[in-house]
Amino acid sequence: SLRRQVRDVKDSLSLGQAGGAGGRGGVDGGANPNEPEESANRGRGAQASAKSLRELWLKKLECEAVLTLLKKLEVVRDAPNAFDALIHTRPCRIGAAVVLLSNALNTMFSE
């Protein structure tokens, strides 16, 4: 689902950039010639901040996806040592070891 969200945001960013560049009319990027230059600059600033907000959101989604993958990698990487530690203790904790191994296998073969 994170991958789908990242893809959707990337698509909307590319559509926004293509539509924003092509949809403007006039010499000064679509600003009303009767408005003072200050308000036109505010409009450009708002567009830039909206674009940067979208880019930050995309970056956040990418970071969440990376953190999720790292968490899954850690579960799989730590499973053999944790399994051995649970098996070789007195008393043997076979139930906990099996649950740990099952969790690692589910993580390996999930999406």
Side-chain angles (χ1 to χ4, degrees), residues 46-86:
Q47 288 175 348
S49 66
K51 180 179 175 184
S52 66
L53 183 62
R54 280 185 255 144
E55 289 172 350
L56 286 172
W57 181 255
L58 178 62
K59 189 70 167 174
K60 175 192 171 284
L61 290 176
E62 289 174 352
C63 289
E64 285 177 350
V66 168
L67 287 174
T68 302
L69 288 174
L70 288 174
K71 188 186 307 181
K72 288 179 180 182
L73 179 66
E74 186 177 353
V75 166
V76 172
R77 187 190 65 207
D78 292 343
N81 292 334
F83 182 84
D84 287 341
L86 289 170

Side-chain angles (χ1 to χ4, degrees), residues 6-66:
V6 169
R7 194 177 322 115
D8 291 343
V9 171
K10 281 184 180 179
D11 290 344
S12 67
L13 278 175
S14 64
L15 288 176
Q17 289 172 350
R24 291 186 199 160
V27 176
D28 59 348
N32 187 349
N34 296 328
E35 286 183 345
E37 189 172 321
E38 182 179 316
S39 66
N41 287 336
R42 273 186 290 178
R44 288 187 200 113
Q47 288 175 348
S49 66
K51 180 179 175 184
S52 66
L53 183 62
R54 280 185 255 144
E55 289 172 350
L56 286 172
W57 181 255
L58 178 62
K59 189 70 167 174
K60 175 192 171 284
L61 290 176
E62 289 174 352
C63 289
E64 285 177 350
V66 168

